[in-house]
Amino acid sequence: MGPPRDLRLIAKRLLSFTRLVQGVNVSAVTDPLVWEHVQPAAARRLLTGAIDAFAERGYQATTTRDIAARAGMSPAALYVHYPSKERLLFEISLYGHNAALEVLRSAASPDRETPSERLRSLVAAFTAWHARHHTIARVVQYELAALSPEHLAEVATIRRAISSQIEQVLADGVADGSFTVTDLPGTTLAVLSMSIDVARWYTPHRGDPEALGALYADLAHRMVQA
Amino acid sequence: MGPPRDLRLIAKRLLSFTRLVQGVNVSAVTDPLVWEHVQPAAARRLLTGAIDAFAERGYQATTTRDIAARAGMSPAALYVHYPSKERLLFEISLYGHNAALEVLRSAASPDRETPSERLRSLVAAFTAWHARHHTIARVVQYELAALSPEHLAEVATIRRAISSQIEQVLADGVADGSFTVTDLPGTTLAVLSMSIDVARWYTPHRGDPEALGALYADLAHRMVQA
DNA sequence: GTCTATATTTCGATAGAC
DNA sequence: GTCTATCGAAATATAGAC
């Protein structure tokens, strides 16, 4: 046990995840989220069990025993696959942030030509993602404080890229006159807030994620329309 | 210590809080939040220390030793004033929810005659409250899962009253034709989400709470304007 | 890779002196 | 009402057999 073995394990998982994101099968990463790139199956059961537990009770209230039990194994077996509880959180947070960013990048594809079309597409996709994947979205949005400083810095980079997607389309709309925005950073935050907060309150009985995305796309558009 | 003594203590605090809310000095309860009604001073130091700790690290990550240290006393002294860590959270959550509701009720006063004026006033006040009091707002919005079922039920009642304030003004605007809203519950949630999410990201360097409130009032109004 | 068993630490809460 | 001292439970993580 020790860093060398752990690092090989993590690197392998990140590599296969990167391959998945970069072209081979983007939709599998984005919607619905699948975890086939996490190998072996026991590591995947631990990861998905941890997502459910962290989303339900929070990171600090979740015990490694609880996670192991959800994966159908003893508490000790967890440490064969992950060196610590925090590392499990980091991998979940990293995957989740990358998936959310990828959803936005797909939604902002250049075939949507006007800022209005792009904004509606971005907000619809981002909102629907937070609803459909509200368990991992809860971990992504509300468990940042439990990450180590180094791991937090890594996901913060992805978070800035996510904000930029919204800020850029708003700036484009202001530039071509289709949007009226008095406070660009403030409005960016407000648009992001609407979607992010979905992770806090959404449950499946609240309705279809796509319908919610369509509603929020409309509301966001009205917020900035010239 | 057993129930009888504890109940007397809590009842006394709630009573003086109620007096404060119901007329004598509403502004002191709402903005800024003061805690003079929590007596003795040691209980108040514990309460404000707990607010800071819960907001910074979360309820589960906060130890009773940490709270006691912030109040300048030994771990054991906490239990003279509060029977458990959860009870401390409950009192904070209850006070915070009541303060937020009171802010909304003041903002919706009948001298604001049109639904547009009332909506702007409500959103401005609710948003500014979440910014100015972002520490207690974080506890109010993100630590509900740590409450006992009975205590959660009690604050849930206040939360419904908060939602109703927004939903009612939107319904009024639809009725008199000044608003166009296709999905009333969905739009209510979206408006609430913008303000609530402020508690997640706000820090004082992000600007003046009142300015943020004014911006959000405008954005919310544009969301529903006919 | 999984198990049983356990080391070690830290937690919420209590006992009892003053 | 505050302290020192501590209990008992539960936490993360490890040791070593299989």
Side-chain angles (χ1 to χ4, degrees):
Chain A
M1 206 53 52
R5 189 252 172 96
D6 167 42
L7 284 180
R8 276 204 309 279
L9 214 92
I10 305 300
K12 195 172 145 197
R13 264 183 229 135
L14 282 177
L15 188 64
S16 67
F17 176 70
T18 304
R19 266 198 226 103
L20 216 60
V21 169
Q22 289 175 346
V24 181
N25 189 357
V26 167
S27 72
V29 183
T30 53
D31 196 41
L33 269 180
V34 291
W35 299 99
E36 276 149 16
H37 58 289
V38 181
Q39 291 290 346
R44 186 165 61 244
R45 290 202 313 273
L46 286 164
L47 198 97
T48 56
I51 292 171
D52 291 344
F54 292 163
E56 272 175 36
R57 315 145 72 88
Y59 174 83
Q60 301 283 355
T62 299
T63 68
T64 52
R65 280 171 166 75
D66 181 18
I67 297 168
R70 286 174 194 252
M73 58 184 80
S74 76
L78 185 150
Y79 293 91
V80 174
H81 303 281
Y82 300 93
S84 69
K85 188 177 127 179
E86 191 274 342
R87 190 80 196 210
L88 204 34
L89 173 66
F90 171 56
E91 296 206 24
I92 292 167
S93 191
L94 187 60
Y95 296 158
H97 276 91
N98 275 322
L101 176 57
E102 199 53 38
V103 161
L104 285 179
R105 288 192 169 147
S106 299
S109 70
D111 61 306
R112 294 192 170 79
E113 287 178 2
T114 70
S116 287
E117 283 169 5
R118 283 214 304 286
L119 176 65
R120 297 180 80 103
S121 173
L122 283 168
V123 172
F126 198 54
T127 302
W129 187 85
H130 278 79
R132 189 172 302 284
H133 306 295
H134 59 278
T135 53
I136 194 169
R138 248 164 237 172
V139 182
V140 162
Q141 301 300 348
Y142 301 120
E143 300 298 340
L144 295 172
L147 290 169
S148 74
E150 296 77 15
H151 290 162
L152 177 60
E154 200 165 335
V155 302
T157 305
I158 308 173
R159 293 182 75 83
R160 280 188 290 274
I162 287 172
S163 298
S164 296
Q165 290 283 329
I166 301 294
E167 187 159 13
Q168 189 57 56
V169 71
L170 293 181
D172 291 348
V174 170
D176 82 354
S178 52
F179 296 162
T180 300
V181 174
T182 56
D183 179 345
L184 182 61
T187 306
T188 301
L189 263 170
V191 170
L192 285 166
S193 277
M194 278 204 311
S195 298
I196 287 172
D197 196 60
V198 168
R200 182 180 59 83
W201 57 260
Y202 184 84
T203 56
H205 87 268
R206 295 261 196 178
D208 177 43
E210 310 304 324
L212 192 72
L215 171 64
Y216 276 42
D218 185 49
L219 294 174
H221 190 209
R222 289 170 74 168
M223 276 170 56
V224 298
Q225 215 169 169
Chain B
M1 206 49 54
R5 188 249 171 107
D6 166 43
L7 284 180
R8 277 203 310 279
L9 214 95
I10 306 300
K12 195 173 146 195
R13 264 184 228 132
L14 282 176
L15 188 64
S16 68
F17 176 71
T18 303
R19 266 196 226 103
L20 217 61
V21 169
Q22 290 175 346
V24 181
N25 189 358
V26 167
S27 73
V29 183
T30 53
D31 196 43
L33 268 182
V34 292
W35 300 99
E36 277 148 16
H37 59 289
V38 180
Q39 292 292 344
R44 186 165 59 246
R45 290 202 313 274
L46 286 164
L47 197 97
T48 56
I51 292 171
D52 292 343
F54 293 162
E56 272 175 36
R57 314 145 73 89
Y59 174 82
Q60 300 283 354
T62 299
T63 67
T64 52
R65 281 168 172 79
D66 180 18
I67 297 168
R70 286 174 194 252
M73 58 183 80
S74 75
L78 185 150
Y79 293 91
V80 173
H81 303 282
Y82 300 93
S84 70
K85 188 177 130 180
E86 191 274 343
R87 190 80 196 209
L88 204 33
L89 173 66
F90 171 57
E91 297 207 21
I92 292 166
S93 191
L94 186 60
Y95 294 160
H97 276 90
N98 276 323
L101 176 57
E102 199 55 38
V103 161
L104 285 178
R105 288 193 168 145
S106 298
S109 70
D111 61 307
R112 294 192 170 79
E113 288 178 2
T114 70
S116 287
E117 283 170 4
R118 283 214 305 284
L119 176 65
R120 296 180 82 103
S121 173
L122 282 168
V123 172
F126 198 53
T127 302
W129 187 85
H130 278 81
R132 189 172 301 283
H133 306 296
H134 58 279
T135 51
I136 194 169
R138 248 163 238 173
V139 182
V140 162
Q141 301 300 349
Y142 301 121
E143 301 296 342
L144 295 173
L147 291 168
S148 73
E150 295 77 17
H151 291 162
L152 177 59
E154 200 165 335
V155 303
T157 303
I158 308 172
R159 294 183 74 83
R160 280 188 290 274
I162 288 173
S163 299
S164 295
Q165 291 282 330
I166 301 295
E167 187 160 11
Q168 188 59 56
V169 71
L170 292 182
D172 292 347
V174 170
D176 81 354
S178 52
F179 297 163
T180 301
V181 174
T182 56
D183 179 343
L184 182 61
T187 306
T188 301
L189 262 171
V191 170
L192 285 166
S193 278
M194 279 202 313
S195 298
I196 287 172
D197 196 61
V198 167
R200 181 180 59 84
W201 57 259
Y202 184 83
T203 57
H205 87 265
R206 295 263 195 176
D208 177 42
E210 310 304 322
L212 191 72
L215 172 64
Y216 276 42
D218 186 48
L219 295 174
H221 190 207
R222 289 169 74 169
M223 276 170 55
V224 299
Q225 217 170 165

